[in-house]
């Protein structure tokens, strides 16, 4: 379903939930905190939260599409980016996730459907983060408000 609805229409040619032989010469190994190399997990069963293989170009195509949908005020992003609950703890995971905090109230830090949400001086923002053995990523998109007098805001 992901291939038919997302990967193929967006021309994400190097993305799959299952290991592909064509990835054999282009993948990266993760690393341990001791700088050791993690053995590549070449999954033969899809797992929504952990098995997707992609690259920077394909992931950028996906994020650019989400930005276009956001700008067009699409029904999809209206649902994804609707705040479902406020984040009122010091951290998302670990012991500090049990400690209440109001430090982020000014930015309306929340979660929608799979995306973190916030308000910034530059406009609405949505973020995705991920973690797996040897890998971490963080992406944030901000619908920046243009300032015609700003020389660096092109």
């Amino acid at each position: 379903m992901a291939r038919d609805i997302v990967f193929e229409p967006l021309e994400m040619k190097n993305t799959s939930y299952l290991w592909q032989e064509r990835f054999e010469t282009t993948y990266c190994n993760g690393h341990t905190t001791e700088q050791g190399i993690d053995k590549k997990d070449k999954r033969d069963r899809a797992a929504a939260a952990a098995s997707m293989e992609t690259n920077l170009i394909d992931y950028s195509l996906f994020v650019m599409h989400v930005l276009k949908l956001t700008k067009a005020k699409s029904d999809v992003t209206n649902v994804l980016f609707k705040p479902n609950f406020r984040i009122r703890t010091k951290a998302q995971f670990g012991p500090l996730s049990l400690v209440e905090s109001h430090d982020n109230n000014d930015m309306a830090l929340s979660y929608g459907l799979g995306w973190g949400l916030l308000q910034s001086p530059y406009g609405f923002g949505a973020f995705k983060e991920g973690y797996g053995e040897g890998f971490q990523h963080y992406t944030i998109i901000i619908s920046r408000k243009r300032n015609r007098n700003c020389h660096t805001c092109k």
Side-chain angles (χ1 to χ4, degrees), residues 1 5 18 25 27 31 65-66 72 79 81 86 89 100 103 106-109 125 136 143 145 149 154:
M1 187 164 58
I5 295 173
L18 300 175
T25 59
Y27 71 87
H31 290 77
H65 185 69
V66 171
V79 171
F81 299 154
R86 288 291 292 271
T89 57
E100 188 173 336
D103 293 346
D106 289 349
M107 69 170 77
L109 192 60
Q136 294 183 43
S143 59
K145 296 175 184 173
N149 298 320
K154 304 238 184 259

Side-chain angles (χ1 to χ4, degrees), residues 42-54:
K42 299 175 183 178
R43 295 179 185 253
D44 59 358
R45 286 186 60 197
S51 72
M52 189 171 77
E53 298 286 338
T54 193

Side-chain angles (χ1 to χ4, degrees), residues 54-61:
T54 193
N55 65 15
L56 182 58
I57 292 169
D58 281 12
Y59 187 66
S60 297
L61 290 169

